[in-house]
């Protein structure tokens, strides 16, 4: 039964390792085109670590020794040191995560070590732990390569003497230790799968417990507000915890470093994807909490800023994720960007409009000429603002169509915002018939003035005046402002005022003047002599 299981797993493990091998070849090919090439890929700390692990997968100790600074050792001692290094890495030692090891030929210049040293992990034996370092060494042809430092190699004999057999090797049956895939016992591959499955289950349970604790702590502080919907972050949080548990446990039980190194990029990629999804979900959760906490008078003024800020934070998260994935795949992002040269300048010029629209969106949100839900007019277009995005603003027209305007253009236009009106102008002109007497006109004006003065929804300063005497009418102008919360309320108030004007003019005995119409009659003789 064990042999059948081993046969099935061989195919699955080999399929898992194929991306690692092809990725290593791609990294070596890409690196050789940018800096002075090294046949073993030792031009960067990441290349040295990957090359050493590749040599150990091939069980080539002589090749593995080429990644150690063994200039003071014999060939036999060099290969012995390469094997001791692997054994110590198998029994509790570890390399840093893939994205934490620099792919730059200069190494990580921002750490606290000297420029020619790079810490890439740690060796542990019993309670003793020493840093695992690389050193940049100059070759006779002027090239620089990274090798495991002489300080690290000097610690190997003492650490090896007190090293103990790993827990995994102690409990594995002989059948699972006798079959090997890439020099690694099949039992170690099975242990990694088992740890991953157990880690996934434990990660989800721990995530549930953690979220319940957080919800309970925040419940009192958010009393009266909307309950927190933390269900969306359960899965990504569980994956993050699972990957972290997996990483620690495979080192603790002593899974061989070759197996760990072959699948490390998978674990790191999953970790970064889960962290990115978790951050995106947290952004949505925080945005929802802030939206529910907005006061009614702050809602419209802050909603647009909140929506734009959420989109910008999400864009930054996705950008960071992209950079990290490129780093995991072995690309030196800094060098790649610097190598763009003129191409980068052309890209910047091509993205000029994008930057302009981004700045325009910030201006629209900061200056707040309009907000989501406002009815506005710009140019010959009018409508209700539905969304203020990173690139454009969407307007719903009265015809129910959507007009999308780039924010760079929208911010530079003259915008008339109808939603911010606190009062509405009521300015009709009454045209009375010319035979209306002076007493009737005075009565009409007096009644209208009295109505406007006693109305609660009419602002002070209203006026009613006889402004013109024409050949066809006596013109009375009404000028006042109506207090209304919105345009619909204004239409209702305006309708009542118009009915009052009709009643007032009718009660005075006068009527409205209508434009005179002239009808000209003409006569002519028809075909039969009749007059039409």
């Amino acid at each position: 039964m064990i042999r059948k299981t081993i046969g099935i797993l061989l195919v699955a493990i080999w399929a898992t390792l194929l991306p690692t091998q092809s990725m290593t070849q791609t990294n070596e090919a890409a690196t050789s085109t940018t800096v002075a090439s090294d046949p073993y890929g030792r031009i960067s700390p990441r290349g040295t670590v990957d090359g050493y692990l590749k040599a150990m997968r091939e069980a080539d100790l002589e090749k593995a020794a080429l990644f150690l600074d063994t200039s003071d050792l014999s060939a036999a001692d060099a290969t012995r040191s390469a094997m001791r290094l692997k054994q110590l890495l198998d029994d509790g030692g570890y390399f840093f995560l893939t994205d934490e090891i620099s792919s730059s030929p200069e190494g990580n210049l921002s750490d606290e070590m000297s420029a020619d040293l790079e810490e890439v992990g740690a060796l542990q034996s019993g309670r003793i732990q020493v840093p695992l370092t690389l050193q940049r060494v100059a070759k006779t042809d002027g090239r620089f390569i990274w090798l495991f430092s002489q300080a690290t190699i000097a610690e190997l004999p003492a650490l090896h003497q007190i090293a103990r057999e790993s827990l995994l090797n102690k409990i594995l049956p002989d059948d699972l230790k006798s079959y090997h895939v890439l020099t690694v016992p099949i039992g170690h591959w099975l242990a990694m799968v088992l740890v991953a499955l157990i880690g996934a289950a434990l990660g989800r349970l721990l995530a549930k417990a953690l979220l319940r604790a957080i919800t309970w702590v925040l419940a009192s502080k958010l009393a009266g507000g909307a309950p927190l919907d933390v269900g969306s972050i359960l899965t990504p949080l569980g994956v993050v915890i699972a990957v972290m548990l997996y990483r620690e446990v495979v080192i603790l039980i002593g899974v061989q470093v070759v197996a760990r190194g072959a699948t490390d990029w998978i674990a790191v990629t999953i970790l970064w994807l889960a962290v990115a999804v978790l951050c995106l979900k947290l952004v949505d959760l925080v945005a929802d909490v802030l939206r529910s906490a907005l006061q009614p008078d702050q809602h419209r003024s802050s909603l647009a800023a909140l929506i734009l800020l959420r989109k910008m934070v999400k864009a930054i998260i996705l950008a960071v994720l992209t950079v990290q994935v490129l780093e995991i795949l072995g690309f030196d992002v800094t060098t790649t960007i610097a190598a763009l040269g003129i191409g980068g300048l052309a890209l910047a010029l091509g993205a000029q409009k994008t930057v302009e629209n981004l700045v325009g969106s910030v201006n629209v949100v900061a200056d707040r000429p309009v907000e989501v839900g406002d009815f506005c007019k710009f140019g010959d277009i009018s409508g209700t603002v539905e969304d203020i995005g990173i690139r454009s603003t969407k307007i719903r027209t009265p015809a129910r169509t959507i007009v999308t305007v780039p924010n760079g253009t929208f911010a530079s236009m003259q915008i008339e915002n109808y939603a911010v009106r606190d009062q509405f102008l009521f300015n009709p002109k009454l045209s009375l018939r010319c035979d209306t007497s002076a007493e009737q006109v005075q009565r009409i004006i007096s009644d209208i003035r009295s109505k406007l003065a006693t109305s609660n929804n009419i602002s002070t300063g209203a006026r009613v005046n006889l402004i013109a005497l024409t050949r066809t009418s006596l013109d009375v102008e009404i000028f006042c402002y109506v207090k209304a919360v919105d345009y619909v309320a204004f239409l209702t108030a305006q309708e009542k005022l118009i009915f009052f004007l009709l009643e007032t003019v009718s009660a005075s005995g006068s009527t409205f003047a209508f434009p005179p119409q002239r009808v000209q009659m003409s006569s002519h003789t028809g075909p039969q002599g009749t007059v039409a």
Side-chain angles (χ1 to χ4, degrees), residues 202-389:
L202 287 177
R204 188 170 182 85
L205 291 175
L206 291 175
K208 282 185 177 181
L210 181 61
L211 291 179
R212 286 179 181 176
I214 293 175
T215 304
W216 181 78
V217 171
L218 296 179
S220 58
K221 297 183 178 181
L222 298 177
L228 286 177
D229 182 16
V230 297
S232 60
I233 65 176
L234 174 61
T235 298
L237 179 60
V239 173
V240 171
I241 297 175
V243 174
M244 296 174 65
L245 288 174
Y246 166 84
R247 170 74 180 174
E248 294 299 325
V249 172
V250 293
I251 295 174
L252 181 64
I253 65 176
V255 173
Q256 288 193 7
V257 68
V258 172
R260 284 185 271 135
T263 57
D264 185 60
W265 69 276
I266 300 176
V268 176
T269 302
I270 293 175
L271 177 62
W272 272 105
L273 289 174
V275 168
V277 174
L278 177 62
C279 291
L280 293 175
K281 297 296 184 181
L282 285 175
V283 169
D284 288 335
L285 182 61
V286 172
D288 291 339
V289 172
L290 292 177
R291 178 183 295 182
S292 62
L294 291 177
Q295 300 297 326
D297 57 338
Q298 299 175 329
H299 188 271
R300 296 184 62 194
S301 61
S302 303
L303 183 59
L306 185 61
I307 293 175
L308 179 61
L309 181 62
R310 177 169 64 178
K311 292 180 179 179
M312 294 181 68
V313 172
K314 285 187 174 182
I316 293 173
I317 292 173
L318 293 177
V320 172
L321 173 64
T322 301
V323 172
Q324 290 298 328
V325 171
L326 290 176
E327 288 281 358
I328 293 170
L329 295 177
F331 293 97
D332 184 4
V333 179
T334 304
T335 304
T336 303
I337 295 176
L340 289 176
I342 298 177
L345 178 61
L347 179 63
L349 293 175
Q352 183 177 1
K353 283 294 182 182
T354 301
V355 176
E356 178 184 348
N357 291 329
L358 177 60
V359 174
S361 65
V362 175
N363 290 335
V364 170
V365 172
D367 294 340
R368 294 189 297 186
V370 292
E371 297 166 358
V372 175
D374 288 354
F375 187 87
C376 65
K377 180 180 180 182
F378 55 96
D380 58 350
I381 301 174
S382 60
T384 303
V385 179
E386 288 213 340
D387 180 59
I388 301 176

